[in-house]
Amino acid sequence: MQTGIRAKLLEAFSKADGEFLSGQKISDYIGCSRTAVWKHMEELRKEGYELEAVRRLGYRITKKPDKISSNEIQLGLKTTMMGRHIHFEEIVSSTQKIARNLANEGVEEGTIVVADQQTNGKGRMARVWYSPKGTGIWMSMIIRPNLPVNQTPQLTLLTAVAIVQAIEELTPLKPEIKWPNDIMLNGKKLVGILTELQAEADQVHSVIIGTGINVNQKIDDFPEELQSIATSIFIETGTVWERAQFIQMILLKFEGLYSLFLTQGFKPIKLLWESYAISLNKKIIARTLSGTIVGKAIGIDDDGVLLIETNNRVIERIYSADIDFQ
Amino acid sequence: MQTGIRAKLLEAFSKADGEFLSGQKISDYIGCSRTAVWKHMEELRKEGYELEAVRRLGYRITKKPDKISSNEIQLGLKTTMMGRHIHFEEIVSSTQKIARNLANEGVEEGTIVVADQQTNGKGRMARVWYSPKGTGIWMSMIIRPNLPVNQTPQLTLLTAVAIVQAIEELTPLKPEIKWPNDIMLNGKKLVGILTELQAEADQVHSVIIGTGINVNQKIDDFPEELQSIATSIFIETGTVWERAQFIQMILLKFEGLYSLFLTQGFKPIKLLWESYAISLNKKIIARTLSGTIVGKAIGIDDDGVLLIETNNRVIERIYSADIDFQ
């Protein structure tokens, strides 16, 4: 099918928003014959779309396949900035690496990089993020806030809130946030977030926020060593979810929170974050690059830094660590 | 001339270190006839090398042209890491931009990008840095220190010390450092330094240090608006200098200070920096992104941050600013 006609056809259905569209209306919209429209509909069926045809009413899409592409993400996207430029590839080494280069080239704020598969996806501290084909959301967002460098960790927390809100909006799940960058369900990892920056001394040039979201993996899709510590939205709900719809919702939630952050600072984000956090008021072990700290997580400060009260009542500020509960 | 033979010939002279080399020795070293050697020497003359030929003693190079290339930089370079990988181009938009991409690709620590001309050289805050052909040192160095993000401004100060030391080693000049990133001579700007980083929350991936050094510009080479505020080593000494030799000396000084920094921290660098600083103990006006601060510059702290005591005795910490003296 020609990409132009396919996009037009999907656009027509997207505008109809679940209502029936007559064959005539469709052929007028696209500018081709009803026979041609019928052929294109058959193509959509083959791609996994479920179409309902009712005499006199016409057609409607009852189910989209879980397929991502620039088109799928763009159609129905309600943001004004986030995701307005989409760099989609079927397979990449890492969306983060591509996004870094695009940021360096000066692409517009809100540009996103999405892939159906990553062969070398990375989490925090250059750890591997397992990113198999056609199952999860492997996405990097490029933003250019006018921020000092030390405030960028706040954007990791903001992104965690946006993703939790998107999941709550679309599913019955209630995910929780484990400081700094993991979203958990029933004690297993559902989402990882990696925030990177390009900056000079006191001036951020760009922030590149990578997200790995396990959406439609079955338990057997995970390597054995991950099966006890990772989960997916499918595993938790028993339903296959449309990744493109999730991406749209995440971008929308992110855009709202980011705009709040730019106008009112981190405080409102901090309150939201704390309402989803599981790390707080618990005895934790924080493993940092420079050593291990044991104590009670008492909160995050206005920079987004974790505060741990140690046994001898000293408050330690933790910028980056792996956290376990005691 | 074949690049291989040319490099071999220059290498032979470099090893001889100013002593005469007989034609026989040279032809043995390169592995070609004395007639061929003679032809190659003529080529070098055409490129601007001055060669002295003395019967029975042989040849020596008395003057190299001020030409930069990977070869010129590598021959005689005394470092073990800095500049061991050289990415040289005649003309680039900005060495910093190329270096950022190379850093993203994972090149080795110590890799440098050097150009003979920049069409879009940048200083701090995306300001233009005038970088005409064949006159200055337009260089970006890539390093990968295991540092938290907030310590990277220290590397700007370290680089300033390295460049001042290199200039003092090679010329009779006594440059001074104006916080944070300018090297001055007689109140005019000689060198600019731009430090950028690629990082995640608490972990630097790479630091890219760009330097613009005015070496052989005549006063008329500067655009009119720069003539009263910029200077070059040529303008201050009346002599044309070999840029490749400067680059070698800067890399050597940088490597020494960087190694000191990694083993002993910022303290010894801070002492050196303060000995060259002109901003200290003077009344200054600091223009920052968030406003203007007037007061006395009382020093830098252990992070490399400038401390200003305002008229009402408050100490302000300045991460980034333009500074003028009152």
Side-chain angles (χ1 to χ4, degrees):
Chain A
M1 196 188 304
Q2 288 166 268
T3 335
I5 293 178
R6 186 187 190 291
K8 271 282 199 190
L9 184 58
L10 286 172
E11 191 179 275
F13 281 118
S14 169
K15 283 191 176 165
D17 206 16
E19 297 300 310
F20 283 95
L21 273 181
S22 72
Q24 189 56 51
K25 271 203 179 146
I26 298 173
S27 68
D28 289 351
Y29 191 85
I30 301 177
C32 64
S33 73
R34 290 186 59 173
T35 319
V37 167
W38 184 84
K39 272 188 196 161
H40 289 308
M41 308 276 274
E42 281 311 297
E43 296 266 0
L44 282 184
R45 273 210 181 103
K46 280 183 204 152
E47 286 180 26
Y49 285 81
E50 288 176 22
L51 294 156
E52 190 180 1
V54 174
R55 189 170 277 270
R56 296 204 213 192
L57 287 173
Y59 305 89
R60 68 174 180 181
I61 291 177
T62 53
K63 197 166 192 311
K64 289 195 216 166
D66 173 36
K67 193 173 171 302
I68 43 175
S69 68
S70 297
N71 263 337
E72 307 291 332
I73 297 168
Q74 226 137 26
L75 288 168
L77 182 63
K78 297 197 177 71
T79 59
T80 59
M81 174 190 75
M82 292 307 301
R84 285 291 145 200
H85 297 269
I86 300 174
H87 185 102
F88 174 79
E89 292 191 35
E90 293 289 338
I91 182 166
V92 299
S93 64
S94 137
T95 58
Q96 205 69 352
K97 188 175 169 184
I98 293 173
R100 273 185 238 125
N101 276 336
L102 289 175
N104 194 15
E105 294 304 320
V107 294
E108 279 187 64
E109 180 166 40
T111 297
I112 62 171
V113 178
V114 180
D116 199 40
Q117 179 179 1
Q118 293 185 112
T119 55
N120 196 20
K122 286 287 161 67
R124 210 159 52 87
M125 316 294 284
R127 288 169 193 153
V128 171
W129 184 271
Y130 182 65
S131 319
K133 180 173 164 58
T135 57
I137 294 172
W138 326 127
M139 172 166 77
S140 296
M141 307 185 281
I142 298 168
I143 53 173
R144 304 189 183 280
N146 187 1
L147 273 191
V149 169
N150 60 354
Q151 280 181 35
T152 47
Q154 299 173 353
L155 293 165
T156 303
L157 307 181
L158 185 156
T159 306
V161 172
I163 295 174
V164 167
Q165 288 184 339
I167 294 171
E168 287 195 344
E169 186 88 20
L170 296 174
T171 77
L173 300 173
K174 297 277 167 212
E176 294 177 301
I177 303 172
K178 184 178 153 193
W179 186 91
N181 70 338
D182 292 331
I183 297 179
M184 314 292 288
L185 261 175
N186 301 321
K188 292 176 176 181
K189 198 187 278 198
L190 183 71
V191 177
I193 300 166
L194 172 63
T195 303
E196 297 183 298
L197 65 152
Q198 299 180 339
E200 58 188 271
D202 191 36
Q203 183 61 34
V204 167
H205 294 168
S206 52
V207 178
I208 298 142
I209 304 173
T211 56
I213 306 176
N214 298 329
V215 181
N216 288 326
Q217 286 102 326
K218 299 178 192 65
I219 188 77
D220 294 345
D221 290 340
F222 287 108
E224 212 177 316
E225 69 274 19
L226 293 182
Q227 291 184 6
S228 61
I229 55 172
T231 191
S232 74
I233 298 178
F234 173 82
I235 292 168
E236 302 292 330
T237 61
T239 312
V240 170
W241 297 84
E242 263 177 44
R243 284 172 295 155
Q245 196 187 4
F246 261 102
I247 292 173
Q248 290 172 350
M249 187 57 77
I250 290 165
L251 294 172
L252 186 65
K253 295 290 181 187
F254 181 90
E255 185 168 285
L257 292 169
Y258 181 52
S259 152
L260 184 68
F261 172 74
L262 291 179
T263 53
Q264 296 181 38
F266 183 57
K267 205 153 270 178
I269 309 300
K270 179 173 183 267
L271 293 174
L272 285 167
W273 187 87
E274 284 170 340
S275 73
Y276 295 119
I278 38 173
S279 330
L280 301 186
N281 297 313
K282 293 197 180 150
K283 281 271 186 186
I284 64 171
I285 306 168
R287 294 185 179 81
T288 75
L289 282 179
S290 48
T292 296
I293 294 160
V294 179
K296 196 173 82 172
I298 56 171
I300 53 172
D301 71 5
D302 288 346
D303 284 343
V305 168
L306 185 66
L307 304 174
I308 299 184
E309 188 182 301
T310 63
N311 295 338
N312 46 5
R313 306 253 158 214
V314 176
I315 311 272
E316 297 269 2
R317 305 181 78 229
I318 311 288
Y319 287 86
S320 177
D322 289 319
I323 285 191
D324 284 314
F325 299 104
Q326 261 192 320
Chain B
M1 196 187 303
Q2 287 166 269
T3 335
I5 292 177
R6 185 186 192 292
K8 268 284 200 189
L9 184 57
L10 287 172
E11 192 179 277
F13 280 118
S14 169
K15 284 191 174 164
D17 205 17
E19 297 300 310
F20 282 96
L21 273 181
S22 72
Q24 189 56 50
K25 273 200 178 148
I26 298 171
S27 67
D28 289 350
Y29 190 83
I30 302 177
C32 64
S33 72
R34 290 185 62 171
T35 319
V37 167
W38 184 84
K39 272 188 195 159
H40 289 309
M41 307 275 274
E42 280 312 295
E43 297 268 1
L44 282 184
R45 272 210 181 102
K46 279 182 202 151
E47 286 180 27
Y49 285 81
E50 288 176 21
L51 293 157
E52 189 180 2
V54 174
R55 187 171 277 270
R56 295 206 212 186
L57 288 174
Y59 306 90
R60 68 175 181 181
I61 291 177
T62 51
K63 198 165 191 310
K64 289 194 215 167
D66 174 35
K67 191 170 172 302
I68 44 175
S69 69
S70 297
N71 262 337
E72 307 290 332
I73 297 168
Q74 226 137 25
L75 288 170
L77 182 62
K78 297 196 176 71
T79 61
T80 59
M81 176 191 72
M82 292 307 301
R84 285 292 146 198
H85 297 268
I86 300 174
H87 185 102
F88 175 78
E89 293 191 35
E90 293 288 338
I91 181 164
V92 298
S93 64
S94 136
T95 58
Q96 205 69 353
K97 188 173 170 185
I98 292 173
R100 273 186 237 124
N101 277 336
L102 289 175
N104 194 14
E105 294 302 321
V107 294
E108 279 188 63
E109 179 166 39
T111 297
I112 62 171
V113 178
V114 180
D116 199 41
Q117 179 178 3
Q118 292 185 112
T119 55
N120 196 20
K122 285 288 160 63
R124 212 158 51 86
M125 316 293 284
R127 288 169 192 152
V128 170
W129 184 272
Y130 182 66
S131 320
K133 181 174 164 57
T135 57
I137 294 172
W138 327 127
M139 171 166 77
S140 295
M141 306 185 282
I142 299 168
I143 53 173
R144 304 190 184 281
N146 188 1
L147 273 192
V149 169
N150 60 355
Q151 282 182 34
T152 46
Q154 300 172 353
L155 292 165
T156 304
L157 307 182
L158 186 156
T159 306
V161 173
I163 295 174
V164 167
Q165 288 185 340
I167 293 171
E168 287 195 344
E169 186 87 21
L170 296 174
T171 77
L173 300 172
K174 298 276 165 211
E176 293 178 302
I177 303 171
K178 183 177 155 195
W179 187 92
N181 71 338
D182 291 332
I183 298 178
M184 314 292 288
L185 261 175
N186 301 322
K188 293 178 176 181
K189 198 187 278 198
L190 183 70
V191 177
I193 300 166
L194 172 63
T195 303
E196 296 182 301
L197 65 152
Q198 298 180 341
E200 57 188 273
D202 190 36
Q203 184 60 36
V204 167
H205 293 168
S206 53
V207 178
I208 299 142
I209 305 172
T211 55
I213 307 176
N214 298 329
V215 181
N216 288 327
Q217 286 102 326
K218 299 178 191 65
I219 190 77
D220 294 346
D221 290 339
F222 287 108
E224 210 176 318
E225 70 274 20
L226 293 182
Q227 291 184 6
S228 61
I229 56 173
T231 190
S232 74
I233 299 179
F234 172 82
I235 292 168
E236 302 293 330
T237 60
T239 312
V240 171
W241 297 84
E242 262 177 46
R243 285 172 296 153
Q245 194 188 7
F246 261 100
I247 292 172
Q248 291 172 349
M249 187 58 77
I250 290 164
L251 294 173
L252 186 66
K253 295 290 182 186
F254 181 90
E255 185 168 286
L257 292 169
Y258 181 52
S259 152
L260 184 69
F261 172 74
L262 292 179
T263 53
Q264 297 181 37
F266 184 58
K267 204 151 270 177
I269 309 300
K270 180 173 182 268
L271 293 173
L272 285 168
W273 188 88
E274 285 171 341
S275 73
Y276 295 119
I278 37 173
S279 328
L280 300 186
N281 297 314
K282 295 198 178 149
K283 281 269 190 188
I284 63 171
I285 305 169
R287 294 185 178 83
T288 76
L289 282 178
S290 49
T292 295
I293 293 160
V294 179
K296 195 173 82 173
I298 57 170
I300 54 173
D301 72 5
D302 288 345
D303 285 343
V305 169
L306 185 66
L307 304 173
I308 299 184
E309 188 181 300
T310 63
N311 295 338
N312 47 4
R313 305 253 157 215
V314 177
I315 309 274
E316 298 269 3
R317 304 182 79 228
I318 310 289
Y319 287 86
S320 177
D322 289 319
I323 286 192
D324 284 316
F325 298 104
Q326 261 192 322

